[in-house]
């Protein structure tokens, strides 16, 4: 393969789904570049398009299929020559997806990631790739967490060695950084552990090395991602390892903010709350996965908690950091959910004063325990409940944002429009899902951190005047 950039095979990465997928795409991009491919942004300019799919819920699967079909339609013009599916949907369905979607030239699973450059090169040469038959990836790792470090099974986003193996696909001032992958919980509605595998922490040295590399790339905020950040370190022999790691990450040169995502309420211990709320450079931000508030619904979900314990946790958070950002997701219309249980959820949301809440209607997922449950609500009833809770959440979000008027915030500038409009995020706003803060009459550049006071709100969005 010649080193002339014009003669290298080009590849475009298209990423769907969550921030964890973004990390996986950047690792794949790094592997491809190291393997002799030239990265391009536009699929129409690429010899091959790699679509990193999402396989979480039905709507995400549809988006993945639609994106693959759109990329395949481009082949009629001669560019791209091949379209390849990777990611969670590809791993979860493998051969089944390949057979049902012949428009895709190949479906690659997680085990193909270490050799992704060779795989693409052979596909481009016209060789047929036999898609894998999916298996429960939990079976690839020892049951005992502390024995998992000895496993050689590929884990996306966990590449060790030079941090430059990762190639940034977004030049923004915020970057996701993977803490761990997989999950040991057995929530009855969730299929993720079956295709992401059991919980595996990254070594602190690898996390820190990548954080330093990101700092050198101009990243100002690290967004720590995993399926369950509260479990970090349990397979490394120290369940409190995150409390130790966070101050070290906050001290990385160039990094101003460290934000933790996806905390399990039942595992969120007082020491972790105190560390997140009180460590300089760590954002007092709590992404708490409540899912519901009714104790009986939570038990059927194979989860733990009730309104009192959840409100107690929030009281603890706000006792340490009164202005802390708190977001969550809830599922409504779960099998057997009564109107009384739904009202318990609504009462909790009113009392909780969350900044943002995502509302999802229940739907069966292949291979989950809940898919076998009796008491399914019909689709119209689920939609009606989603609409009811969404309306309530929108009102509560408006109220919570209005409470922040007069509050002093530090805004990380993420975009400056052609007319000079400045958009960013305050500390309580996570990337993409928690609204934005718009700076009025400000002159700033992307990556700047600006002190301002909130003067107006609209939904989860804030408008602030520079101090």
């Amino acid at each position: 393969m010649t080193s002339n950039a014009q003669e290298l095979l080009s590849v475009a990465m298209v990423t769907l789904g969550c921030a964890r997928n973004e990390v996986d795409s950047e690792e794949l991009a790094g592997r491809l570049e190291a393997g002799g491919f030239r990265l391009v942004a536009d699929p129409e300019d690429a010899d091959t398009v790699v679509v990193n799919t999402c396989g979480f819920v039905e709507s995400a699967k549809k988006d993945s299929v639609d994106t693959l079909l759109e990329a395949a339609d481009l082949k009629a013009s001669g560019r791209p020559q091949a379209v390849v599916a990777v990611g969670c949907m590809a791993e979860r369905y493998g051969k089944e997806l390949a057979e049902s979607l012949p428009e895709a030239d190949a479906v690659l699973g997680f085990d193909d990631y270490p050799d992704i450059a060779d795989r693409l090169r052979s596909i481009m040469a016209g060789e047929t790739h036999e898609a894998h038959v999916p298996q429960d990836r939990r079976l690839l790792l020892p049951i005992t967490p502390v024995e998992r470090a000895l496993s050689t099974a590929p884990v996306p986003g966990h590449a060790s060695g030079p941090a430059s193996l990762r190639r940034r696909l977004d030049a923004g001032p915020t970057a996701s950084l993977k803490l761990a992958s997989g999950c040991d919980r057995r929530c009855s509605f969730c299929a993720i552990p079956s295709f992401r595998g059991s919980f595996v922490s990254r070594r602190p040295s690898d996390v820190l090395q990548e954080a330093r590399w990101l700092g050198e790339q101009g990243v100002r905020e690290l967004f720590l991602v995993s399926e369950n950040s509260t479990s970090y370190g349990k397979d490394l022999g120290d369940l409190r390892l995150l409390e130790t790691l966070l101050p070290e990450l906050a001290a990385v040169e160039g990094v101003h903010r460290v934000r933790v995502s996806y905390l399990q309420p039942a595992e969120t211990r007082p020491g972790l709350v105190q560390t997140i709320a009180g460590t300089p450079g760590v954002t007092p931000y709590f992404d708490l996965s409540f899912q519901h508030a009714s104790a009986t619904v939570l038990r059927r979900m194979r989860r733990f908690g009730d309104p009192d314990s959840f409100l107690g946790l929030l009281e603890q958070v706000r006792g340490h950091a009164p202005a802390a950002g708190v977001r969550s997701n809830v599922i409504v219309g779960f099998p057997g959910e009564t109107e009384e249980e739904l009202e318990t959820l609504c009462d909790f949301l009113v009392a909780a004063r969350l900044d943002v809440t995502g509302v999802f209607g229940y739907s069966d997922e292949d291979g989950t325990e809940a898919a076998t449950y009796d008491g399914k609500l019909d689709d119209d009833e689920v939609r009606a409940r989603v609409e009811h809770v969404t309306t309530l959440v929108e009102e509560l979000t408006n109220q919570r944002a209005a409470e922040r008027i007069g509050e002093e915030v530090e805004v990380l500038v993420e975009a400056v429009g052609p007319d000079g409009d400045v958009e960013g995020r305050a500390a309580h706003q996570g990337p993409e899902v928690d609204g934005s803060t718009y700076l009025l009459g400000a002159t700033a550049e992307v990556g700047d951190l600006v002190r301002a006071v909130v003067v107006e709100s609209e939904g989860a969005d804030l408008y602030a005047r520079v101090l």
Side-chain angles (χ1 to χ4, degrees):
M1 178 68 67
T2 176
S3 60
N4 188 322
Q6 296 303 316
E7 298 180 25
L8 296 177
L9 289 173
S10 58
V11 58
M13 293 290 310
V14 178
T15 307
L16 304 173
C18 64
R20 299 183 293 275
N21 252 18
E22 293 172 7
V23 176
D24 295 350
S25 284
E26 293 193 347
E27 182 185 295
L28 287 173
R31 290 184 182 278
L32 287 167
E33 191 170 62
F37 280 79
R38 177 170 56 90
L39 297 170
V40 297
D42 192 337
E44 294 187 29
D45 297 331
D47 294 312
T48 183
V49 177
V50 177
V51 179
N52 193 350
T53 61
C54 178
F56 182 39
V57 293
E58 202 59 41
S59 59
K61 297 175 202 172
K62 183 180 183 304
D63 287 345
S64 295
V65 170
D66 289 346
T67 302
L68 286 163
L69 291 174
E70 289 170 7
D73 286 343
L74 296 175
K75 289 194 292 184
S77 64
R79 294 288 291 271
Q81 299 170 39
V83 174
V84 176
V86 299
C88 291
M89 189 176 182
E91 174 62 35
R92 185 176 182 184
Y93 294 104
K95 190 173 183 179
E96 180 185 342
L97 177 62
E99 292 173 349
S100 63
L101 196 70
E103 292 86 352
D105 295 278
V107 173
L108 304 182
F110 294 156
D111 291 337
D112 292 306
Y113 282 22
D115 302 310
I116 185 70
D118 290 340
R119 295 287 186 273
L120 286 199
R121 196 168 282 111
S122 66
I123 292 163
M124 292 290 296
E127 298 177 21
T128 300
H129 177 81
E130 186 68 26
H132 69 286
V133 176
Q135 62 175 317
D136 189 333
R137 290 193 72 85
R138 290 171 291 194
L139 302 178
L140 300 180
L141 295 169
I143 294 175
T144 305
V146 294
E147 295 177 357
R148 292 174 189 164
L150 302 176
S151 173
T152 58
V155 181
H158 282 227
S160 58
S164 57
L165 186 63
R166 176 176 175 177
R167 167 70 147 76
R168 291 207 72 201
L169 299 173
D170 180 355
T174 300
S176 299
L177 176 58
K178 190 169 281 194
L179 276 178
S181 289
C183 187
D184 286 341
R185 302 184 73 87
R186 295 295 182 265
C187 301
S188 62
F189 56 84
C190 183
I192 289 176
S194 66
F195 57 86
R196 276 289 184 179
S198 298
F199 184 86
V200 180
S201 301
R202 293 184 73 192
R203 292 194 303 258
S205 58
D206 290 341
V207 176
L208 282 165
Q209 182 185 36
E210 192 165 319
R212 295 185 186 108
W213 178 79
L214 289 168
E216 292 168 357
Q217 304 299 307
V219 170
R220 305 302 301 277
E221 178 177 311
L222 299 174
F223 186 45
L224 306 184
V225 299
S226 71
E227 275 77 20
N228 178 6
S229 297
T230 37
S231 281
Y232 180 73
K234 74 173 187 178
D235 51 326
L236 301 177
D238 184 358
L239 188 55
R240 291 176 172 79
L241 193 55
L242 186 55
E243 286 98 307
T244 304
L245 180 61
L246 284 173
E248 295 183 70
L249 289 169
V252 169
E253 186 174 354
V255 171
H256 188 82
R257 283 182 185 168
V258 178
R259 185 184 304 272
V260 186
S261 72
Y262 216 80
L263 306 171
Q264 287 288 347
E267 297 180 31
T268 305
R269 35 198 190 274
L272 181 57
V273 170
Q274 187 172 353
T275 299
I276 293 175
T279 302
V282 176
T283 299
Y285 175 83
F286 293 82
D287 176 14
L288 294 163
S289 173
F290 290 124
Q291 302 298 358
H292 210 281
S294 163
T296 48
V297 172
L298 287 166
R299 296 305 178 273
R300 293 199 296 278
M301 289 179 168
R302 302 294 185 200
R303 296 176 67 84
F304 303 93
D306 54 48
D308 289 343
S309 64
F310 290 167
L311 291 173
L313 176 57
L314 292 173
E315 183 178 0
Q316 185 184 146
V317 165
R318 289 168 176 148
H320 287 290
V326 186
R327 80 168 327 274
S328 191
N329 296 310
V330 297
I331 298 172
V332 299
F334 194 76
E337 181 189 61
T338 65
E339 292 188 5
E340 182 180 2
E341 290 168 334
L342 182 65
E343 194 60 33
T344 297
L345 172 61
C346 292
D347 290 344
F348 164 72
L349 292 173
V350 171
R353 297 172 51 245
L354 306 177
D355 288 281
V356 175
T357 306
V359 181
F360 298 90
Y362 171 80
S363 62
D364 286 340
E365 278 296 309
D366 298 336
T368 61
E369 181 183 349
T372 69
Y373 284 0
D374 295 329
K376 301 281 176 59
L377 305 181
D378 64 49
D379 292 344
D380 289 341
E381 178 61 23
V382 173
R383 278 193 293 269
R385 294 188 182 197
V386 169
E387 183 177 347
H388 173 69
V389 178
T390 299
T391 300
L392 172 63
V393 161
E394 288 174 350
E395 179 182 347
L396 295 173
T397 297
N398 288 335
Q399 292 175 7
R400 182 70 186 110
E403 291 175 5
R404 293 192 182 274
I405 293 176
E407 189 175 295
E408 188 176 319
V409 293
E410 185 177 60
V411 179
L412 174 62
V413 176
E414 294 193 308
V416 178
D419 53 359
D421 290 343
V422 179
E423 179 183 355
R425 287 181 295 106
H428 70 278
Q429 296 171 316
E432 297 184 3
V433 292
D434 295 341
S436 297
T437 297
Y438 297 89
L439 297 176
L440 303 176
T443 300
E445 296 182 357
V446 172
D448 286 350
L449 286 140
V450 181
R451 301 296 303 181
V453 62
V454 179
V455 297
E456 189 180 345
S457 67
E458 182 179 356
D461 293 335
L462 303 179
Y463 295 84
R465 195 170 302 282
V466 176
L467 290 172

